[in-house]
Amino acid sequence: MDGVKELLILLVGSSLVSNVVLSQFLGLCPFLGVSKKVKTAAGMGTAVIFVITLASAVAGVIHQYILVRLNIAYLDTIVFILVIAALVQFVEMFLKKAMPSLYEALGVYLPLITTNCAVLGVALTNVQREYGILQGVVNGFATALGFTVAIVILAGLREKMEYNDIPQSFRGMPTVLLTAGLMAIAFCGFSGLL
Amino acid sequence: MNRAGERLYNGIVKENPTFVLMLGMCPTLAVTAYAVNGLGMGLATTVVLALSNLIISLLRGVIPNRIRIPAFIVIIASFVTVIQLLLQAYLPSLNKALGVYIPLIVVNCIILGRAESYAYGNPPVPSLFDGLGMGLGFTAALTCIGAVREILAQGSLFGYDIMPEGYITINIFGVAPGAFFVLAALTALQNYVRIVGKRKGREYRKLQSGCSEDCMNCSDTGCARRFYDNGSGQTAGSDGTALSVTDLDEEDR
């Protein structure tokens, strides 16, 4: 089962070793903006997993069966950003109508994800590395999982730090960025995994 | 022509997108391990920003208000594709170093922010210079950050060794965590300047970033929401009762 092994390596690699926020700096805005509480961070993470997995599947299909067939693969960037934006809006409408409980849990976060560079970044990386559709979906899921792990950990740390006595200039974002930097050092440790 | 000069000054100094507005943080962190990468990324963004501002300003009477954001994105994405193809053809080494961040110029909030807050409501020439100014400000900032990181991590600048023999390099600044530390120092400095300024009675009104907030708070009121803004000021699909993430945070308390 070589294929399965390869996918597992991809899963670990994309989620932990080259973590999307901490080593590639994609999706930094929600990472810093929506990480005040563990609960909201987890909600955001779930929504990101949902959207990125779906978007990498759709982008993979469009790339392989439409753009490559028509020999217009250079239009990737334009097509992907529009497809992702439309997809997120469609998912939002669909969830609202069909699964109100899920919509209640994720709905708030969905609009925030549209211009999230991680979604477009994953779709483009999949194309650049010439992944097939299955590999692309696994890569998307793993990337989003890595994002969720990172944002939940950061939110936990921020909850603990809320009442600390911090020099005035370092209050707010500077401290969060320092924390993210320390987390990035910790995540460097995963590079021994593969 | 005076207005053009004013736009240039505004972009490079007064409302510098990186140092003052704190926009476009993803590329700022990702490509600044070397000064030359920062310079390349900055110039690529400048070209896209200036040209898309020009075209959007020319088309401002044609683009309907309701679908302006998707229209902006198509224009921006087209220019990004052009730049990407040009880099692939003429500067393959830079293209390789910047990798996926070149196509990701599309989602750089500086560009959408300028289109929304300036180009869509102003004549072409000032818009072009507004884009140029903002782009050059971004380039200057990325090159500065890149230079600091390169000197600390490699002891060199633009590839030339400049530090004395005995200099011990601090490798961490060349990799991911160092980028966070540099940005943390930068935001702390910005906070400090604001605190001192406030004490002296200076006022920091909301600057005209178009994103309505800086990158760190972009998620709630920023461009992410604007994508759905169809003129009614409400998120599409929400019927006026939509919760924002901030509301959720408040609820927990």
Side-chain angles (χ1 to χ4, degrees):
Chain A
M1 294 301 277
D2 257 4
V4 176
K5 199 172 143 199
E6 223 166 76
L7 290 181
L8 273 177
I9 290 176
L10 189 62
L11 188 75
V12 175
S14 295
S15 60
L16 296 177
V17 180
S18 55
N19 187 282
V20 63
V21 228
L22 296 173
S23 81
Q24 302 195 54
F25 310 109
L26 297 178
L28 212 57
C29 297
F31 180 67
L32 300 170
V34 199
S35 56
K36 278 202 189 95
K37 294 254 172 243
V38 172
K39 208 176 121 197
T40 41
M44 184 72 192
T46 322
V48 166
I49 292 183
F50 189 70
V51 169
I52 290 194
T53 313
L54 198 64
S56 35
V58 173
V61 170
I62 287 179
H63 175 75
Q64 199 155 324
Y65 292 108
I66 300 179
L67 297 179
V68 172
R69 287 275 163 88
L70 295 177
N71 213 8
I72 48 170
Y74 58 88
L75 289 179
D76 271 345
T77 315
I78 306 177
V79 173
F80 285 176
I81 181 101
L82 290 178
V83 166
I84 289 168
L87 179 78
V88 175
Q89 194 151 20
F90 179 74
V91 166
E92 198 182 352
M93 288 192 292
F94 176 76
L95 286 184
K96 202 174 181 186
K97 193 86 185 156
M99 300 178 222
S101 58
L102 193 61
Y103 177 76
E104 219 151 272
L106 303 184
V108 183
Y109 307 100
L110 286 175
L112 305 186
I113 300 173
T114 320
T115 44
N116 181 343
C117 39
V119 186
L120 184 62
V122 171
L124 290 168
T125 317
N126 286 344
V127 170
Q128 278 186 357
R129 294 192 196 153
E130 293 172 0
Y131 286 154
I133 291 170
L134 179 65
Q135 277 174 310
V137 172
V138 171
N139 185 36
F141 174 75
T143 306
L145 192 68
F147 176 85
T148 309
V149 169
I151 196 173
V152 169
I153 295 177
L154 181 70
L157 292 170
R158 280 181 76 172
E159 275 186 6
K160 297 272 179 218
M161 287 191 310
E162 199 166 337
Y163 301 107
N164 286 4
D165 188 21
I166 297 163
Q168 209 184 359
S169 326
F170 272 88
R171 271 177 215 164
M173 266 321 135
T175 323
V176 178
L177 286 166
L178 283 179
T179 315
L182 293 174
M183 280 171 65
I185 294 181
F187 271 72
C188 281
F190 285 119
S191 57
L193 269 180
L194 291 182
Chain B
M1 264 353 252
N2 222 354
R3 202 161 162 206
E6 184 264 325
R7 288 326 298 171
L8 277 180
Y9 174 75
N10 181 63
I12 298 172
V13 181
K14 226 170 91 198
E15 290 185 13
N16 185 295
T18 306
F19 292 143
V20 181
L21 301 178
M22 304 298 271
L23 288 174
M25 283 303 136
C26 297
T28 306
L29 287 176
V31 301
T32 52
Y34 294 92
V36 65
N37 290 357
L39 184 68
M41 182 71 189
L43 289 179
T45 311
T46 306
V47 174
V48 174
L49 191 51
L51 292 179
S52 65
N53 257 12
L54 177 70
I55 296 294
I56 287 166
S57 175
L58 285 172
L59 293 178
R60 70 188 189 281
V62 185
I63 300 173
N65 198 34
R66 286 173 65 96
I67 56 154
R68 64 183 191 286
I69 304 278
F72 294 166
I73 288 199
V74 173
I75 293 168
I76 296 167
S78 313
F79 280 115
V80 169
T81 308
V82 170
I83 289 293
Q84 193 185 359
L85 293 175
L86 284 175
L87 282 182
Q88 273 169 10
Y90 295 107
L91 289 169
S93 60
L94 184 67
N95 184 54
K96 207 173 170 202
L98 299 179
V100 78
Y101 297 100
I102 287 287
L104 284 178
I105 295 176
V106 179
V107 282
N108 189 328
C109 33
I110 301 172
I111 301 180
L112 199 57
R114 288 329 284 178
E116 171 86 350
S117 76
Y118 197 85
Y120 195 54
N122 285 286
V125 174
S127 298
L128 175 70
F129 279 92
D130 180 75
L132 268 182
M134 279 285 157
L136 291 177
F138 186 60
T139 310
L142 286 196
T143 315
C144 279
I145 298 174
V148 169
R149 284 183 64 192
E150 193 178 339
I151 290 171
L152 287 173
Q154 323 280 340
S156 63
L157 186 59
F158 288 104
Y160 298 105
D161 286 327
I162 55 159
M163 295 306 265
E165 262 317 89
Y167 176 72
I168 299 167
T169 56
I170 314 168
N171 292 331
I172 191 114
F173 283 100
V175 287
F180 282 111
F181 294 145
V182 171
L183 189 65
L186 204 63
T187 39
L189 192 69
Q190 193 197 30
N191 277 351
Y192 179 75
V193 170
R194 288 199 175 193
I195 290 166
V196 170
K198 238 180 213 157
R199 216 174 284 150
K200 283 184 185 155
R202 217 172 292 155
E203 218 192 303
Y204 292 95
R205 284 170 294 111
K206 217 156 243 162
L207 288 159
Q208 205 195 8
S209 71
C211 248
S212 71
E213 281 287 349
D214 56 27
C215 227
M216 319 298 171
N217 304 309
C218 162
S219 45
D220 220 30
T221 48
C223 20
R225 290 226 157 222
R226 296 215 168 200
F227 200 88
Y228 290 106
D229 179 14
N230 48 8
S232 63
Q234 278 291 338
T235 315
S238 71
D239 35 29
T241 54
L243 278 172
S244 73
V245 177
T246 336
D247 292 337
L248 280 185
D249 272 347
E250 294 306 318
E251 241 170 49
D252 288 346
R253 255 160 226 179

